[in-house]
PDB file of all heavy atoms in Angstrom:
ATOM      1  N   HIS X   1      11.964   5.445   6.223  1.00  0.00           N
ATOM      2  CA  HIS X   1      12.448   6.748   5.754  1.00  0.00           C
ATOM      3  C   HIS X   1      12.430   6.812   4.234  1.00  0.00           C
ATOM      4  O   HIS X   1      12.025   7.811   3.651  1.00  0.00           O
ATOM      5  CB  HIS X   1      13.864   7.011   6.280  1.00  0.00           C
ATOM      6  CG  HIS X   1      14.492   8.228   5.689  1.00  0.00           C
ATOM      7  ND1 HIS X   1      13.994   9.498   5.903  1.00  0.00           N
ATOM      8  CD2 HIS X   1      15.564   8.380   4.875  1.00  0.00           C
ATOM      9  CE1 HIS X   1      14.739  10.366   5.246  1.00  0.00           C
ATOM     10  NE2 HIS X   1      15.701   9.719   4.611  1.00  0.00           N
ATOM     11  N   ARG X   2      12.867   5.733   3.595  1.00  0.00           N
ATOM     12  CA  ARG X   2      12.868   5.719   2.129  1.00  0.00           C
ATOM     13  C   ARG X   2      11.438   5.788   1.584  1.00  0.00           C
ATOM     14  O   ARG X   2      11.186   6.418   0.548  1.00  0.00           O
ATOM     15  CB  ARG X   2      13.591   4.481   1.594  1.00  0.00           C
ATOM     16  CG  ARG X   2      15.060   4.359   2.018  1.00  0.00           C
ATOM     17  CD  ARG X   2      15.885   5.585   1.777  1.00  0.00           C
ATOM     18  NE  ARG X   2      16.001   5.916   0.359  1.00  0.00           N
ATOM     19  CZ  ARG X   2      16.673   6.940  -0.112  1.00  0.00           C
ATOM     20  NH1 ARG X   2      17.311   7.745   0.703  1.00  0.00           N
ATOM     21  NH2 ARG X   2      16.722   7.179  -1.391  1.00  0.00           N
ATOM     22  N   LEU X   3      10.498   5.139   2.280  1.00  0.00           N
ATOM     23  CA  LEU X   3       9.090   5.252   1.874  1.00  0.00           C
ATOM     24  C   LEU X   3       8.604   6.689   2.005  1.00  0.00           C
ATOM     25  O   LEU X   3       7.878   7.190   1.137  1.00  0.00           O
ATOM     26  CB  LEU X   3       8.212   4.325   2.715  1.00  0.00           C
ATOM     27  CG  LEU X   3       8.210   2.856   2.331  1.00  0.00           C
ATOM     28  CD1 LEU X   3       7.481   2.030   3.389  1.00  0.00           C
ATOM     29  CD2 LEU X   3       7.562   2.663   0.967  1.00  0.00           C
ATOM     30  N   ASP X   4       8.973   7.349   3.101  1.00  0.00           N
ATOM     31  CA  ASP X   4       8.623   8.758   3.264  1.00  0.00           C
ATOM     32  C   ASP X   4       9.140   9.584   2.090  1.00  0.00           C
ATOM     33  O   ASP X   4       8.408  10.412   1.539  1.00  0.00           O
ATOM     34  CB  ASP X   4       9.223   9.318   4.563  1.00  0.00           C
ATOM     35  CG  ASP X   4       8.298   9.171   5.752  1.00  0.00           C
ATOM     36  OD1 ASP X   4       7.092   8.939   5.562  1.00  0.00           O
ATOM     37  OD2 ASP X   4       8.796   9.293   6.888  1.00  0.00           O
ATOM     38  N   LEU X   5      10.380   9.361   1.704  1.00  0.00           N
ATOM     39  CA  LEU X   5      10.951  10.109   0.589  1.00  0.00           C
ATOM     40  C   LEU X   5      10.220   9.807  -0.716  1.00  0.00           C
ATOM     41  O   LEU X   5       9.934  10.714  -1.508  1.00  0.00           O
ATOM     42  CB  LEU X   5      12.439   9.791   0.436  1.00  0.00           C
ATOM     43  CG  LEU X   5      13.367  10.292   1.540  1.00  0.00           C
ATOM     44  CD1 LEU X   5      14.787   9.814   1.285  1.00  0.00           C
ATOM     45  CD2 LEU X   5      13.313  11.797   1.649  1.00  0.00           C
ATOM     46  N   SER X   6       9.904   8.539  -0.928  1.00  0.00           N
ATOM     47  CA  SER X   6       9.242   8.138  -2.180  1.00  0.00           C
ATOM     48  C   SER X   6       7.822   8.690  -2.279  1.00  0.00           C
ATOM     49  O   SER X   6       7.373   9.061  -3.361  1.00  0.00           O
ATOM     50  CB  SER X   6       9.195   6.620  -2.290  1.00  0.00           C
ATOM     51  OG  SER X   6      10.488   6.095  -2.361  1.00  0.00           O
ATOM     52  N   LEU X   7       7.132   8.718  -1.149  1.00  0.00           N
ATOM     53  CA  LEU X   7       5.732   9.144  -1.154  1.00  0.00           C
ATOM     54  C   LEU X   7       5.559  10.629  -0.853  1.00  0.00           C
ATOM     55  O   LEU X   7       4.447  11.142  -0.908  1.00  0.00           O
ATOM     56  CB  LEU X   7       4.930   8.324  -0.139  1.00  0.00           C
ATOM     57  CG  LEU X   7       4.906   6.814  -0.387  1.00  0.00           C
ATOM     58  CD1 LEU X   7       4.224   6.100   0.765  1.00  0.00           C
ATOM     59  CD2 LEU X   7       4.222   6.509  -1.715  1.00  0.00           C
ATOM     60  N   GLY X   8       6.645  11.292  -0.496  1.00  0.00           N
ATOM     61  CA  GLY X   8       6.558  12.715  -0.171  1.00  0.00           C
ATOM     62  C   GLY X   8       5.891  12.978   1.164  1.00  0.00           C
ATOM     63  O   GLY X   8       5.268  14.020   1.349  1.00  0.00           O
ATOM     64  N   THR X   9       6.000  12.021   2.080  1.00  0.00           N
ATOM     65  CA  THR X   9       5.391  12.181   3.405  1.00  0.00           C
ATOM     66  C   THR X   9       6.491  12.361   4.448  1.00  0.00           C
ATOM     67  O   THR X   9       7.672  12.324   4.127  1.00  0.00           O
ATOM     68  CB  THR X   9       4.533  10.952   3.771  1.00  0.00           C
ATOM     69  OG1 THR X   9       5.378   9.801   3.812  1.00  0.00           O
ATOM     70  CG2 THR X   9       3.429  10.733   2.766  1.00  0.00           C
ATOM     71  N   SER X  10       6.069  12.537   5.692  1.00  0.00           N
ATOM     72  CA  SER X  10       7.068  12.706   6.742  1.00  0.00           C
ATOM     73  C   SER X  10       6.667  11.992   8.029  1.00  0.00           C
ATOM     74  O   SER X  10       7.178  12.311   9.092  1.00  0.00           O
ATOM     75  CB  SER X  10       7.266  14.195   7.032  1.00  0.00           C
ATOM     76  OG  SER X  10       6.063  14.759   7.482  1.00  0.00           O
ATOM     77  N   TYR X  11       5.774  11.024   7.927  1.00  0.00           N
ATOM     78  CA  TYR X  11       5.285  10.394   9.152  1.00  0.00           C
ATOM     79  C   TYR X  11       5.544   8.882   9.229  1.00  0.00           C
ATOM     80  O   TYR X  11       5.425   8.302  10.296  1.00  0.00           O
ATOM     81  CB  TYR X  11       3.789  10.644   9.331  1.00  0.00           C
ATOM     82  CG  TYR X  11       2.948  10.145   8.179  1.00  0.00           C
ATOM     83  CD1 TYR X  11       2.519   8.830   8.124  1.00  0.00           C
ATOM     84  CD2 TYR X  11       2.597  10.989   7.135  1.00  0.00           C
ATOM     85  CE1 TYR X  11       1.768   8.362   7.068  1.00  0.00           C
ATOM     86  CE2 TYR X  11       1.842  10.534   6.075  1.00  0.00           C
ATOM     87  CZ  TYR X  11       1.427   9.222   6.049  1.00  0.00           C
ATOM     88  OH  TYR X  11       0.684   8.767   4.997  1.00  0.00           O
ATOM     89  N   ILE X  12       5.888   8.240   8.153  1.00  0.00           N
ATOM     90  CA  ILE X  12       6.058   6.779   8.170  1.00  0.00           C
ATOM     91  C   ILE X  12       7.243   6.393   9.051  1.00  0.00           C
ATOM     92  O   ILE X  12       7.150   5.490   9.882  1.00  0.00           O
ATOM     93  CB  ILE X  12       6.214   6.228   6.741  1.00  0.00           C
ATOM     94  CG1 ILE X  12       4.945   6.518   5.927  1.00  0.00           C
ATOM     95  CG2 ILE X  12       6.496   4.731   6.770  1.00  0.00           C
ATOM     96  CD1 ILE X  12       5.049   6.191   4.465  1.00  0.00           C
ATOM     97  N   ARG X  13       8.364   7.085   8.911  1.00  0.00           N
ATOM     98  CA  ARG X  13       9.535   6.791   9.736  1.00  0.00           C
ATOM     99  C   ARG X  13       9.242   7.025  11.211  1.00  0.00           C
ATOM    100  O   ARG X  13       9.578   6.204  12.063  1.00  0.00           O
ATOM    101  CB  ARG X  13      10.727   7.640   9.311  1.00  0.00           C
ATOM    102  CG  ARG X  13      11.998   7.301  10.083  1.00  0.00           C
ATOM    103  CD  ARG X  13      13.088   8.272   9.736  1.00  0.00           C
ATOM    104  NE  ARG X  13      12.920   9.457  10.567  1.00  0.00           N
ATOM    105  CZ  ARG X  13      13.915  10.058  11.205  1.00  0.00           C
ATOM    106  NH1 ARG X  13      15.140   9.618  11.088  1.00  0.00           N
ATOM    107  NH2 ARG X  13      13.700  11.110  11.934  1.00  0.00           N
ATOM    108  N   ASP X  14       8.578   8.134  11.527  1.00  0.00           N
ATOM    109  CA  ASP X  14       8.260   8.428  12.924  1.00  0.00           C
ATOM    110  C   ASP X  14       7.313   7.385  13.507  1.00  0.00           C
ATOM    111  O   ASP X  14       7.459   6.984  14.662  1.00  0.00           O
ATOM    112  CB  ASP X  14       7.650   9.820  13.057  1.00  0.00           C
ATOM    113  CG  ASP X  14       8.668  10.921  12.794  1.00  0.00           C
ATOM    114  OD1 ASP X  14       9.878  10.651  12.936  1.00  0.00           O
ATOM    115  OD2 ASP X  14       8.255  12.037  12.443  1.00  0.00           O
ATOM    116  N   THR X  15       6.362   6.920  12.711  1.00  0.00           N
ATOM    117  CA  THR X  15       5.441   5.883  13.169  1.00  0.00           C
ATOM    118  C   THR X  15       6.188   4.581  13.451  1.00  0.00           C
ATOM    119  O   THR X  15       5.953   3.928  14.474  1.00  0.00           O
ATOM    120  CB  THR X  15       4.340   5.644  12.115  1.00  0.00           C
ATOM    121  OG1 THR X  15       3.677   6.885  11.845  1.00  0.00           O
ATOM    122  CG2 THR X  15       3.330   4.617  12.592  1.00  0.00           C
ATOM    123  N   ALA X  16       7.091   4.216  12.558  1.00  0.00           N
ATOM    124  CA  ALA X  16       7.886   3.002  12.767  1.00  0.00           C
ATOM    125  C   ALA X  16       8.744   3.130  14.022  1.00  0.00           C
ATOM    126  O   ALA X  16       8.830   2.195  14.829  1.00  0.00           O
ATOM    127  CB  ALA X  16       8.768   2.727  11.547  1.00  0.00           C
ATOM    128  N   ILE X  17       9.361   4.283  14.211  1.00  0.00           N
ATOM    129  CA  ILE X  17      10.215   4.500  15.383  1.00  0.00           C
ATOM    130  C   ILE X  17       9.395   4.409  16.658  1.00  0.00           C
ATOM    131  O   ILE X  17       9.805   3.762  17.636  1.00  0.00           O
ATOM    132  CB  ILE X  17      10.959   5.848  15.278  1.00  0.00           C
ATOM    133  CG1 ILE X  17      12.036   5.762  14.194  1.00  0.00           C
ATOM    134  CG2 ILE X  17      11.576   6.238  16.616  1.00  0.00           C
ATOM    135  CD1 ILE X  17      12.720   7.083  13.889  1.00  0.00           C
ATOM    136  N   ILE X  18       8.219   5.015  16.684  1.00  0.00           N
ATOM    137  CA  ILE X  18       7.374   4.967  17.881  1.00  0.00           C
ATOM    138  C   ILE X  18       6.963   3.529  18.188  1.00  0.00           C
ATOM    139  O   ILE X  18       6.992   3.091  19.341  1.00  0.00           O
ATOM    140  CB  ILE X  18       6.143   5.882  17.709  1.00  0.00           C
ATOM    141  CG1 ILE X  18       6.577   7.341  17.725  1.00  0.00           C
ATOM    142  CG2 ILE X  18       5.101   5.614  18.795  1.00  0.00           C
ATOM    143  CD1 ILE X  18       5.504   8.316  17.288  1.00  0.00           C
ATOM    144  N   GLY X  19       6.604   2.770  17.161  1.00  0.00           N
ATOM    145  CA  GLY X  19       6.233   1.371  17.375  1.00  0.00           C
ATOM    146  C   GLY X  19       7.379   0.546  17.930  1.00  0.00           C
ATOM    147  O   GLY X  19       7.204  -0.234  18.878  1.00  0.00           O
ATOM    148  N   PHE X  20       8.566   0.742  17.376  1.00  0.00           N
ATOM    149  CA  PHE X  20       9.725  -0.008  17.869  1.00  0.00           C
ATOM    150  C   PHE X  20      10.149   0.458  19.263  1.00  0.00           C
ATOM    151  O   PHE X  20      10.610  -0.342  20.074  1.00  0.00           O
ATOM    152  CB  PHE X  20      10.892   0.081  16.881  1.00  0.00           C
ATOM    153  CG  PHE X  20      10.692  -0.766  15.660  1.00  0.00           C
ATOM    154  CD1 PHE X  20      10.700  -0.197  14.396  1.00  0.00           C
ATOM    155  CD2 PHE X  20      10.492  -2.135  15.767  1.00  0.00           C
ATOM    156  CE1 PHE X  20      10.510  -0.977  13.268  1.00  0.00           C
ATOM    157  CE2 PHE X  20      10.313  -2.924  14.643  1.00  0.00           C
ATOM    158  CZ  PHE X  20      10.316  -2.348  13.389  1.00  0.00           C
ATOM    159  N   MET X  21       9.977   1.751  19.564  1.00  0.00           N
ATOM    160  CA  MET X  21      10.281   2.235  20.918  1.00  0.00           C
ATOM    161  C   MET X  21       9.351   1.577  21.932  1.00  0.00           C
ATOM    162  O   MET X  21       9.786   1.179  23.017  1.00  0.00           O
ATOM    163  CB  MET X  21      10.143   3.763  21.006  1.00  0.00           C
ATOM    164  CG  MET X  21      11.326   4.508  20.487  1.00  0.00           C
ATOM    165  SD  MET X  21      11.368   6.275  20.904  1.00  0.00           S
ATOM    166  CE  MET X  21       9.863   6.889  20.232  1.00  0.00           C
ATOM    167  N   ALA X  22       8.080   1.444  21.589  1.00  0.00           N
ATOM    168  CA  ALA X  22       7.140   0.792  22.492  1.00  0.00           C
ATOM    169  C   ALA X  22       7.529  -0.667  22.717  1.00  0.00           C
ATOM    170  O   ALA X  22       7.483  -1.166  23.848  1.00  0.00           O
ATOM    171  CB  ALA X  22       5.721   0.886  21.922  1.00  0.00           C
ATOM    172  N   ASN X  23       7.933  -1.346  21.652  1.00  0.00           N
ATOM    173  CA  ASN X  23       8.363  -2.735  21.762  1.00  0.00           C
ATOM    174  C   ASN X  23       9.592  -2.866  22.662  1.00  0.00           C
ATOM    175  O   ASN X  23       9.663  -3.767  23.514  1.00  0.00           O
ATOM    176  CB  ASN X  23       8.650  -3.292  20.369  1.00  0.00           C
ATOM    177  CG  ASN X  23       8.910  -4.767  20.391  1.00  0.00           C
ATOM    178  OD1 ASN X  23       8.158  -5.523  20.989  1.00  0.00           O
ATOM    179  ND2 ASN X  23       9.973  -5.187  19.743  1.00  0.00           N
ATOM    180  N   GLU X  24      10.562  -1.986  22.484  1.00  0.00           N
ATOM    181  CA  GLU X  24      11.769  -2.014  23.318  1.00  0.00           C
ATOM    182  C   GLU X  24      11.430  -1.710  24.776  1.00  0.00           C
ATOM    183  O   GLU X  24      11.983  -2.334  25.686  1.00  0.00           O
ATOM    184  CB  GLU X  24      12.808  -1.008  22.804  1.00  0.00           C
ATOM    185  CG  GLU X  24      13.357  -1.314  21.435  1.00  0.00           C
ATOM    186  CD  GLU X  24      14.164  -2.589  21.370  1.00  0.00           C
ATOM    187  OE1 GLU X  24      14.793  -2.962  22.372  1.00  0.00           O
ATOM    188  OE2 GLU X  24      14.175  -3.219  20.299  1.00  0.00           O
ATOM    189  N   LEU X  25      10.523  -0.775  24.994  1.00  0.00           N
ATOM    190  CA  LEU X  25      10.136  -0.425  26.354  1.00  0.00           C
ATOM    191  C   LEU X  25       9.468  -1.600  27.061  1.00  0.00           C
ATOM    192  O   LEU X  25       9.742  -1.868  28.233  1.00  0.00           O
ATOM    193  CB  LEU X  25       9.215   0.791  26.344  1.00  0.00           C
ATOM    194  CG  LEU X  25       8.885   1.411  27.683  1.00  0.00           C
ATOM    195  CD1 LEU X  25      10.152   1.811  28.429  1.00  0.00           C
ATOM    196  CD2 LEU X  25       7.989   2.616  27.498  1.00  0.00           C
ATOM    197  N   ILE X  26       8.620  -2.325  26.355  1.00  0.00           N
ATOM    198  CA  ILE X  26       7.993  -3.518  26.933  1.00  0.00           C
ATOM    199  C   ILE X  26       9.064  -4.539  27.308  1.00  0.00           C
ATOM    200  O   ILE X  26       9.020  -5.124  28.393  1.00  0.00           O
ATOM    201  CB  ILE X  26       6.969  -4.118  25.947  1.00  0.00           C
ATOM    202  CG1 ILE X  26       5.757  -3.203  25.844  1.00  0.00           C
ATOM    203  CG2 ILE X  26       6.547  -5.522  26.380  1.00  0.00           C
ATOM    204  CD1 ILE X  26       4.804  -3.572  24.721  1.00  0.00           C
ATOM    205  N   SER X  27      10.040  -4.728  26.438  1.00  0.00           N
ATOM    206  CA  SER X  27      11.110  -5.681  26.714  1.00  0.00           C
ATOM    207  C   SER X  27      11.955  -5.245  27.913  1.00  0.00           C
ATOM    208  O   SER X  27      12.359  -6.077  28.735  1.00  0.00           O
ATOM    209  CB  SER X  27      11.993  -5.843  25.473  1.00  0.00           C
ATOM    210  OG  SER X  27      12.982  -6.805  25.696  1.00  0.00           O
ATOM    211  N   ILE X  28      12.197  -3.951  28.050  1.00  0.00           N
ATOM    212  CA  ILE X  28      12.951  -3.437  29.194  1.00  0.00           C
ATOM    213  C   ILE X  28      12.189  -3.703  30.489  1.00  0.00           C
ATOM    214  O   ILE X  28      12.776  -4.141  31.489  1.00  0.00           O
ATOM    215  CB  ILE X  28      13.248  -1.926  29.019  1.00  0.00           C
ATOM    216  CG1 ILE X  28      14.240  -1.704  27.874  1.00  0.00           C
ATOM    217  CG2 ILE X  28      13.770  -1.314  30.323  1.00  0.00           C
ATOM    218  CD1 ILE X  28      14.353  -0.254  27.430  1.00  0.00           C
ATOM    219  N   VAL X  29      10.893  -3.474  30.464  1.00  0.00           N
ATOM    220  CA  VAL X  29      10.075  -3.719  31.656  1.00  0.00           C
ATOM    221  C   VAL X  29      10.062  -5.206  31.996  1.00  0.00           C
ATOM    222  O   VAL X  29      10.164  -5.590  33.168  1.00  0.00           O
ATOM    223  CB  VAL X  29       8.641  -3.169  31.457  1.00  0.00           C
ATOM    224  CG1 VAL X  29       7.720  -3.601  32.578  1.00  0.00           C
ATOM    225  CG2 VAL X  29       8.672  -1.649  31.345  1.00  0.00           C
ATOM    226  N   GLU X  30       9.962  -6.064  30.977  1.00  0.00           N
ATOM    227  CA  GLU X  30      10.015  -7.511  31.216  1.00  0.00           C
ATOM    228  C   GLU X  30      11.351  -7.905  31.838  1.00  0.00           C
ATOM    229  O   GLU X  30      11.385  -8.712  32.778  1.00  0.00           O
ATOM    230  CB  GLU X  30       9.815  -8.279  29.912  1.00  0.00           C
ATOM    231  CG  GLU X  30       8.390  -8.255  29.405  1.00  0.00           C
ATOM    232  CD  GLU X  30       8.245  -8.927  28.050  1.00  0.00           C
ATOM    233  OE1 GLU X  30       9.263  -9.080  27.323  1.00  0.00           O
ATOM    234  OE2 GLU X  30       7.123  -9.299  27.710  1.00  0.00           O
ATOM    235  N   ASN X  31      12.441  -7.344  31.332  1.00  0.00           N
ATOM    236  CA  ASN X  31      13.761  -7.640  31.894  1.00  0.00           C
ATOM    237  C   ASN X  31      13.848  -7.189  33.351  1.00  0.00           C
ATOM    238  O   ASN X  31      14.420  -7.889  34.187  1.00  0.00           O
ATOM    239  CB  ASN X  31      14.872  -6.991  31.064  1.00  0.00           C
ATOM    240  CG  ASN X  31      15.078  -7.671  29.732  1.00  0.00           C
ATOM    241  OD1 ASN X  31      14.665  -8.809  29.531  1.00  0.00           O
ATOM    242  ND2 ASN X  31      15.718  -6.978  28.820  1.00  0.00           N
ATOM    243  N   ALA X  32      13.289  -6.032  33.644  1.00  0.00           N
ATOM    244  CA  ALA X  32      13.296  -5.547  35.027  1.00  0.00           C
ATOM    245  C   ALA X  32      12.526  -6.507  35.927  1.00  0.00           C
ATOM    246  O   ALA X  32      12.947  -6.792  37.049  1.00  0.00           O
ATOM    247  CB  ALA X  32      12.696  -4.145  35.100  1.00  0.00           C
ATOM    248  N   GLY X  33      11.409  -7.028  35.438  1.00  0.00           N
ATOM    249  CA  GLY X  33      10.646  -8.006  36.207  1.00  0.00           C
ATOM    250  C   GLY X  33      11.429  -9.290  36.426  1.00  0.00           C
ATOM    251  O   GLY X  33      11.391  -9.880  37.517  1.00  0.00           O
ATOM    252  N   LEU X  34      12.159  -9.737  35.408  1.00  0.00           N
ATOM    253  CA  LEU X  34      12.975 -10.943  35.545  1.00  0.00           C
ATOM    254  C   LEU X  34      14.135 -10.737  36.515  1.00  0.00           C
ATOM    255  O   LEU X  34      14.658 -11.697  37.082  1.00  0.00           O
ATOM    256  CB  LEU X  34      13.507 -11.387  34.178  1.00  0.00           C
ATOM    257  CG  LEU X  34      12.458 -11.928  33.212  1.00  0.00           C
ATOM    258  CD1 LEU X  34      13.060 -12.126  31.825  1.00  0.00           C
ATOM    259  CD2 LEU X  34      11.862 -13.219  33.729  1.00  0.00           C
ATOM    260  N   MET X  35      14.524  -9.485  36.721  1.00  0.00           N
ATOM    261  CA  MET X  35      15.573  -9.181  37.690  1.00  0.00           C
ATOM    262  C   MET X  35      15.029  -9.125  39.120  1.00  0.00           C
ATOM    263  O   MET X  35      15.785  -8.972  40.063  1.00  0.00           O
ATOM    264  CB  MET X  35      16.231  -7.834  37.356  1.00  0.00           C
ATOM    265  CG  MET X  35      17.088  -7.836  36.141  1.00  0.00           C
ATOM    266  SD  MET X  35      17.769  -6.178  35.918  1.00  0.00           S
ATOM    267  CE  MET X  35      18.403  -6.294  34.275  1.00  0.00           C
ATOM    268  N   GLY X  36      13.715  -9.222  39.239  1.00  0.00           N
ATOM    269  CA  GLY X  36      13.110  -9.197  40.561  1.00  0.00           C
ATOM    270  C   GLY X  36      12.619  -7.835  40.996  1.00  0.00           C
ATOM    271  O   GLY X  36      12.186  -7.665  42.134  1.00  0.00           O
ATOM    272  N   LEU X  37      12.664  -6.854  40.104  1.00  0.00           N
ATOM    273  CA  LEU X  37      12.160  -5.533  40.434  1.00  0.00           C
ATOM    274  C   LEU X  37      10.639  -5.610  40.567  1.00  0.00           C
ATOM    275  O   LEU X  37       9.966  -6.121  39.670  1.00  0.00           O
ATOM    276  CB  LEU X  37      12.539  -4.544  39.326  1.00  0.00           C
ATOM    277  CG  LEU X  37      12.212  -3.082  39.551  1.00  0.00           C
ATOM    278  CD1 LEU X  37      13.161  -2.515  40.606  1.00  0.00           C
ATOM    279  CD2 LEU X  37      12.356  -2.306  38.267  1.00  0.00           C
ATOM    280  N   PRO X  38      10.091  -5.154  41.680  1.00  0.00           N
ATOM    281  CA  PRO X  38       8.633  -5.219  41.831  1.00  0.00           C
ATOM    282  C   PRO X  38       7.951  -4.274  40.836  1.00  0.00           C
ATOM    283  O   PRO X  38       8.263  -3.088  40.776  1.00  0.00           O
ATOM    284  CB  PRO X  38       8.390  -4.780  43.277  1.00  0.00           C
ATOM    285  CG  PRO X  38       9.636  -4.111  43.717  1.00  0.00           C
ATOM    286  CD  PRO X  38      10.746  -4.581  42.849  1.00  0.00           C
ATOM    287  N   LEU X  39       7.060  -4.833  40.047  1.00  0.00           N
ATOM    288  CA  LEU X  39       6.354  -4.059  39.033  1.00  0.00           C
ATOM    289  C   LEU X  39       4.889  -3.919  39.428  1.00  0.00           C
ATOM    290  O   LEU X  39       4.304  -4.850  39.988  1.00  0.00           O
ATOM    291  CB  LEU X  39       6.451  -4.756  37.672  1.00  0.00           C
ATOM    292  CG  LEU X  39       7.860  -4.946  37.112  1.00  0.00           C
ATOM    293  CD1 LEU X  39       7.808  -5.801  35.857  1.00  0.00           C
ATOM    294  CD2 LEU X  39       8.493  -3.607  36.797  1.00  0.00           C
TER     295      LEU X  39
END
């Protein structure tokens, strides 16, 4: 977000959030598999 403010852009924060959301989603799916949920 601070980079967005410094550079006058509005996409760096959203890109970072999307990347981290994908990472969290992968981890959630892995946890579901470790719980025995058929994937």
